[in-house]
């Protein structure tokens, strides 16, 4: 029933606002009566009308007529009709006499006169509506002139109903109208009291109020239980308008403190709906009573400015520091909840009243935590993990994640069904590699913005461990592509933005893609088919099979499923497959490998039929013959386990050098070493590699033989010789025969972190249990309590036991310190602090 009543009140207030502020909403108009006889004969019992009597010709009446006509629409919503009665010239009755013509207006209920108004008091629409409603609500809205009159009304209302006390400098103003319209709606719920006495306003306020402005106070008399107890008063801080009064009364009717037992992100209260913040006091079972008193004290201080909720840590898991004792949720959409550590309730109040306080507190906490970490690490600011170091260095940088959908247990499966292809990044918000990958993922989202059929999303496994366990996510980060009706494809490559984008784009087409005609197969080799990959420069691999090679075709299809997203694979097994393969001097089963947009196609015979052999062979064949080594592709070539013949260059290598090195790479089948080059301008880490091999960076270009898999020896090609196949081959023969002396060798020392190792097990030891007082320790049994319920602080053994009267008085006082939760949690957090911040 209360909810229905609130909905009725809200709807009625909207109608009143529509009538008072937007005249087009109504359709009422001024009624015309030909004579007083017609008017009085048509009056109905219970119907209210405002009438003014006018002679047929009345010079100078136009301004008043315009105002009275405009008020007809506003008064119609209150059941009051506005009537103009035309007086015949010969009529000299009470209403049509010369002394009354256009000098007074009359308010009737039925045929009974309620009040007459001099027309100079009805100078605009606000004054007309305000005075009419004031007359109609004369018995409901009390007008007071003295403080004694106000206190008498308060005493009658204590324990029964609340009071709305309004001061307006003069009647007939816009503020007076707003108060009367609010009284028309809420008069059955609250007692409205009105005054125009400035002295009375000053007597009810501790400050020196501005008597030239209207004021409204909500007096909380319903909760008063003792006759001598005063009613709390909450002033309306906004201008006196109908909507502001309605908003204020809605806030006054909200619960003082809301107890919360669910995720704060899902909480929505009347305060948030009306654009005010919501303050959470974080509580736990041991300190509930103290935290409840603290929350009530804060709620009274923030009445009308913010809502207050009591959030139980025992019932809700929070991914925040245990020492946090206050949280702030703002009405701004998309803004995260701020978890803070505050010392007392004054800071909570300042937090709401000063919006810059949140940022200042967070910066102070961050600086404090950084100082503690620096002290614990013996002033060493170097992380022992380069990824952690990079993430820590850029931790203040905000990532543009607006285009990436956040998935939870509630929307995970529904979101997967809405898109044809959903990319999901499973990560942990505390883990450095996850945060680094999240940065790359945000770049992918910007690159693929607007790509049809692809939805980028993310799941924070720290928040949703059950969901990640259900999806069998066993390591962070994990990226998968979900497609309706198919098994998800898991990414297994490098985590750069370019590699991730390539994987997502390649996953849009089937792997292998079945081609139906010779033209499609030729277009596929040229990179023109399918259309969604025409702009994606990637080596195309086409399997060609005849009807007699079904076993090899099945292995190729299974290999395609494994390599989906990593390789561009097609398959052709039509009747003319033999003609296609013979064009490139091979017979089915065969692979056609097209590099650089199909300008050169290489035919490779397929001899292995097992899936694993097929996958390994495809990966090997896709490697470049003479690759440029970069950070992303280095692992692919290291996996071969072969020595490197690598040419270091300070830029692009010359055509002559490229031609000679390419001849060397193609010189013998199944090359026993990797011929490659590294551009130091494109991959600056190469300078660090050379400094590891040599004390200084030698002149470039530089050709080296490096065997990382056997001894780490580095051999330097003679700088006086030109880099040609003819010169390199004899050098390699001498090197393999053991006739060359290595220029350097990599150290065999074990890698050690620059910082001392952390003893995580010791850090994770549970804190010592709090011992309850022994029966003999009477001096510490009943320490004085703060208003929030904790001890008064300090060493209890060094204090004298207070008297019972003093203790009782302090317990009953309003809360000032946030001591119910913070100290115990802070002490509990100290031992594991470094571990939690890692």
């Amino acid at each position: 029933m209360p909810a229905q009543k609130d909905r009725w009140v809200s709807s009625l207030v909207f109608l009143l606002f529509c009538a008072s502020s937007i005249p087009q909403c109504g359709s009422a108009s001024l009624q015309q009566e030909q004579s007083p006889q017609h008017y009085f004969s048509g009056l109905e019992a219970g119907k209210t009308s405002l009438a003014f009597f006018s002679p047929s010709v009345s010079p100078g009446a136009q301004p008043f007529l315009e105002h009275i006509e405009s008020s007809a629409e506003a008064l119609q919503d209150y059941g009051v009709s506005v009537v103009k009665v035309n007086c015949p010239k010969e009529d000299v009755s009470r209403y049509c006499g010369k002394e009354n013509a256009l000098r007074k207006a009359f308010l009737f209920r039925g045929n009974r006169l309620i009040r007459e108004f001099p027309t100079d008091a009805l100078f605009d629409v606000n004054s007309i509506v305000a005075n009419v409603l004031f007359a109609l609500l004369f018995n409901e809205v009390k007008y007071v002139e003295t403080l004694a009159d106000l206190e008498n009304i308060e005493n009658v209302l204590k324990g029964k109903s609340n009071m709305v006390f309004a001061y307006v400098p003069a009647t007939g103003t816009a503020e007076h109208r707003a108060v009367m319209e609010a009284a028309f709606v809420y008069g059955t719920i609250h007692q409205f009291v009105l005054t125009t006495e400035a002295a009375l306003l000053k007597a009810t306020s501790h400050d020196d109020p501005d008597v030239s402005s209207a004021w409204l106070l909500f007096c909380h008399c319903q909760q008063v239980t003792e006759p001598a107890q005063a009613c709390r008063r909450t002033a309306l801080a906004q201008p006196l308008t109908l909507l502001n009064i309605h908003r204020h009364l809605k806030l006054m009717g909200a619960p003082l403190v809301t107890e919360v037992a669910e995720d704060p992100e899902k909480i929505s209260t009347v305060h948030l709906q009306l654009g005010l913040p919501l303050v959470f006091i974080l509580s736990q079972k041991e300190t509930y009573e103290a935290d409840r008193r603290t929350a009530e004290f804060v709620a009274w201080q923030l009445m009308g400015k913010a809502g207050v909720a009591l959030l139980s840590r025992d019932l809700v898991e929070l991914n925040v520091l245990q020492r946090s004792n206050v949280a702030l949720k703002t009405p701004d959409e998309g803004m995260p909840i701020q978890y803070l550590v505050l010392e007392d309730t004054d800071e909570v109040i300042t937090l709401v009243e000063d919006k810059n306080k949140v940022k200042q507190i967070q910066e102070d906490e961050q600086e404090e935590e950084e100082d503690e970490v620096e002290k614990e690490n013996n002033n060493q600011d170097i992380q022992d993990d380069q990824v952690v170091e990079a993430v820590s260095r850029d931790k203040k940088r905000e990532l543009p994640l607006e285009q990436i959908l956040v998935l939870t247990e509630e929307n995970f499966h529904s979101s997967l069904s809405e898109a044809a292809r959903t990319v999901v990044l499973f990560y942990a918000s505390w883990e450095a590699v996850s945060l680094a990958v999240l940065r790359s993922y945000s770049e992918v989202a910007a690159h693929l913005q607007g790509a049809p059929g692809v939805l980028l999303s993310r799941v924070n496994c720290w928040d949703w461990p059950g969901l990640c366990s259900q999806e069998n996510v066993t390591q962070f980060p994990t990226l998968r592509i979900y497609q309706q009706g198919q098994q998800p494809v898991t990414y297994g490559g490098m985590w750069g933005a370019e590699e991730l984008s390539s994987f997502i784009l390649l996953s849009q087409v089937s792997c292998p893609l079945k081609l139906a005609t010779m033209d499609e197969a030729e277009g596929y080799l040229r990179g023109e088919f399918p259309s969604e990959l025409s702009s994606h420069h990637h080596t195309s691999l086409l399997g060609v099979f005849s009807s007699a090679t079904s076993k090899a075709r099945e292995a190729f299809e299974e290999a395609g499923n494994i390599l989906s997203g990593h390789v561009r694979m097609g398959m052709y097994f039509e009747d003319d497959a033999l003609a296609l393969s013979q064009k490139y001097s091979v017979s089915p089963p065969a692979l056609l490998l097209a590099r650089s947009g199909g300008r050169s196609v290489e035919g490779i015979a397929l001899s292995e039929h097992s899936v694993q052999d097929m996958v390994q062979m495809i990966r090997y064949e896709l490697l470049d013959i003479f690759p440029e080594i970069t950070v992303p592709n280095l692992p692919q070539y290291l996996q071969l386990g072969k020595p490197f013949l690598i040419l270091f260059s300070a830029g692009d290598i010359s055509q002559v050098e490229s031609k000679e090195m390419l001849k060397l790479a193609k010189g013998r089948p199944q090359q026993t070493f990797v011929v490659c080059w590294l551009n130091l301008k494109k991959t600056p880490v190469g300078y660090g590699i050379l400094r590891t091999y040599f004390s200084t960076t030698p002149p470039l270009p530089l050709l080296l033989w490096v065997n990382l898999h056997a001894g780490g020896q580095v051999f330097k090609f003679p700088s006086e010789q030109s880099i040609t196949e003819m010169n390199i081959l004899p050098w390699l023969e001498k090197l393999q025969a053991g006739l060359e002396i290595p220029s350097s060798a990599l150290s065999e020392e074990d890698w050690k972190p620059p910082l001392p190792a952390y003893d995580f097990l010791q850090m994770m030891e549970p804190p010592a249990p709090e011992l309850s007082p022994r029966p003999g320790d009477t001096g510490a049994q009943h320490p004085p309590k703060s208003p929030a319920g904790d001890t008064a602080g300090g060493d209890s053994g060094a204090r004298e036991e207070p008297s019972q009267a003093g203790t009782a008085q302090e317990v009953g006082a309003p809360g000032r310190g946030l001591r119910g939760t913070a100290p115990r949690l802070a002490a509990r957090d100290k031992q594991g602090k470094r571990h939690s911040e890692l």
Side-chain angles (χ1 to χ4, degrees), residues 482-751:
Y482 291 80
Q483 188 173 3
Q484 298 179 13
Q486 299 183 15
Q487 289 293 326
V489 178
T490 302
Y491 178 65
M494 299 291 288
W495 290 104
E498 184 177 349
E499 290 77 18
L500 290 173
S501 298
S502 175
F503 174 73
I504 295 170
L505 288 174
L506 286 175
S507 297
Q508 288 185 280
V509 297
S510 301
C511 187
L513 179 65
K514 297 178 182 179
L515 306 172
T517 65
M518 181 80 78
D519 290 338
E520 285 187 356
E522 295 281 7
Y524 182 81
L525 291 174
R526 291 192 299 269
E528 301 170 356
F529 185 87
S531 58
E532 53 263 43
L533 296 182
S534 59
S535 61
H536 184 68
H537 302 290
H538 207 281
T539 300
S540 298
L541 188 146
L542 178 65
V544 183
F545 304 92
S546 64
S547 58
T549 57
S550 59
K551 185 176 180 180
R553 191 183 75 187
E554 291 174 359
F556 185 80
E557 286 189 76
E558 186 62 30
N561 292 332
I562 296 174
L563 296 173
S564 176
H566 300 281
V567 180
R568 177 171 173 160
M569 292 175 59
M571 185 170 63
Y572 189 70
F573 53 92
E574 300 300 326
D575 295 338
D576 52 357
L578 180 61
L580 177 63
S581 61
Q582 288 179 347
K583 182 177 178 180
Y584 300 99
S585 304
V586 289
S587 298
L591 294 182
L592 299 181
L593 200 63
R595 306 180 192 271
S596 304
R599 287 192 295 270
S600 64
V601 178
E602 180 183 357
I604 304 170
L606 276 177
S607 58
E608 301 293 345
H609 294 164
S610 72
V611 176
Q612 292 302 325
D613 290 342
M614 189 82 73
V615 169
Q616 185 176 359
M617 187 202 70
I618 290 173
R619 283 176 171 165
Y620 179 78
E621 294 296 343
L622 286 174
L623 296 176
D624 290 333
I625 298 174
F626 177 49
E628 177 190 355
I629 294 297
T630 62
V631 173
N633 69 12
L634 177 61
Q636 302 176 24
Y637 295 95
L638 286 175
Q639 288 176 353
L640 299 176
K642 300 178 181 180
F644 277 39
L645 180 63
I646 180 168
L647 177 63
F648 288 84
S649 174
D652 292 333
I653 58 176
S654 67
Q655 292 184 355
V656 175
E657 292 171 341
S658 177
K659 182 179 179 181
E660 293 294 327
M661 296 292 288
L662 195 59
K663 285 166 54 179
L664 190 66
K666 294 180 178 179
R668 32 181 123 159
Q670 299 296 324
Q671 190 65 268
T672 56
F673 54 89
V674 178
V675 182
C676 56
W677 70 288
L678 192 149
N679 186 346
L680 296 181
K681 284 188 176 180
K682 188 175 180 180
T683 311
V685 70
Y687 286 106
I689 295 174
L690 290 178
R691 284 193 293 269
T692 303
Y693 294 163
F694 311 99
S695 58
T696 60
T697 303
L700 302 176
L702 177 68
L703 183 64
L704 299 178
W705 172 280
V706 183
N707 192 345
L708 299 172
H709 307 281
Q713 293 181 333
V714 179
F715 295 87
K716 179 183 176 184
F717 181 72
S719 56
E720 65 273 10
Q721 297 186 26
S722 60
I723 298 176
T724 63
E725 182 187 17
M726 186 178 297
N727 291 334
I728 296 174
L729 284 177
W731 178 69
L732 291 178
E733 291 176 358
K734 291 174 60 178
L735 188 152
Q736 292 173 350
L739 302 178
E740 288 287 329
I741 300 175
S743 302
S744 64
L746 299 180
S747 173
E748 296 182 357
E749 293 181 5
D750 294 335
W751 176 85

Side-chain angles (χ1 to χ4, degrees), residues 231 513 819:
C231 299
L513 179 65
R819 302 177 180 271

Side-chain angles (χ1 to χ4, degrees), residues 40-62:
F40 287 113
S41 63
L43 292 177
E44 298 178 18
K47 298 291 185 179
T48 305
S49 61
L50 177 66
F52 65 96
F53 298 81
S54 172
S56 300
V57 179
S58 179
Q62 189 61 32

Side-chain angles (χ1 to χ4, degrees), residues 711-825:
Q713 293 181 333
V714 179
F715 295 87
K716 179 183 176 184
F717 181 72
S719 56
E720 65 273 10
Q721 297 186 26
S722 60
I723 298 176
T724 63
E725 182 187 17
M726 186 178 297
N727 291 334
I728 296 174
L729 284 177
W731 178 69
L732 291 178
E733 291 176 358
K734 291 174 60 178
L735 188 152
Q736 292 173 350
L739 302 178
E740 288 287 329
I741 300 175
S743 302
S744 64
L746 299 180
S747 173
E748 296 182 357
E749 293 181 5
D750 294 335
W751 176 85
K752 294 181 180 180
L755 296 181
Y758 286 102
D759 188 347
F760 290 103
L761 294 179
Q762 183 180 4
M763 296 176 186
M764 296 171 64
E765 283 183 3
E770 296 182 3
L771 300 178
S772 58
R774 295 189 300 271
D777 295 340
T778 56
Q781 265 187 315
H782 302 288
K785 294 184 177 181
S786 74
D790 198 11
T791 58
D795 187 357
S796 59
R799 292 178 178 267
E800 295 182 2
E801 184 177 357
S803 64
Q804 294 181 356
T807 303
Q809 183 178 0
E810 288 190 15
V811 171
R816 279 290 179 185
L818 295 175
R819 302 177 180 271
T821 300
R824 301 183 187 185
L825 295 180

Side-chain angles (χ1 to χ4, degrees), residues 7-73:
R7 286 195 294 269
W8 175 84
V9 168
S10 300
S11 301
L12 184 53
V13 167
F14 174 77
L15 291 176
L16 297 182
F17 173 73
C18 183
S20 60
S21 302
I22 310 175
Q24 293 88 338
C25 296
S27 60
S29 61
L30 183 68
Q31 299 180 18
Q32 300 278 347
E33 289 290 350
Q34 297 300 320
S35 65
Q37 291 76 15
H38 284 93
Y39 170 68
F40 287 113
S41 63
L43 292 177
E44 298 178 18
K47 298 291 185 179
T48 305
S49 61
L50 177 66
F52 65 96
F53 298 81
S54 172
S56 300
V57 179
S58 179
Q62 189 61 32
F64 174 75
L65 292 177
E66 291 177 357
H67 293 315
I68 203 73
E69 287 179 3
S70 299
S71 66
E73 295 185 23

Side-chain angles (χ1 to χ4, degrees), residues 88-99:
K89 292 182 179 180
E90 63 275 10
D91 192 343
V92 292
S93 62
R94 173 187 178 185
Y95 300 106
C96 288
K98 290 183 179 181
E99 67 279 3

Side-chain angles (χ1 to χ4, degrees), residues 385-392 432-434 436:
D385 185 292
Q386 292 184 354
V387 177
V388 176
E389 166 102 19
V391 172
S392 176
V433 177
S434 290

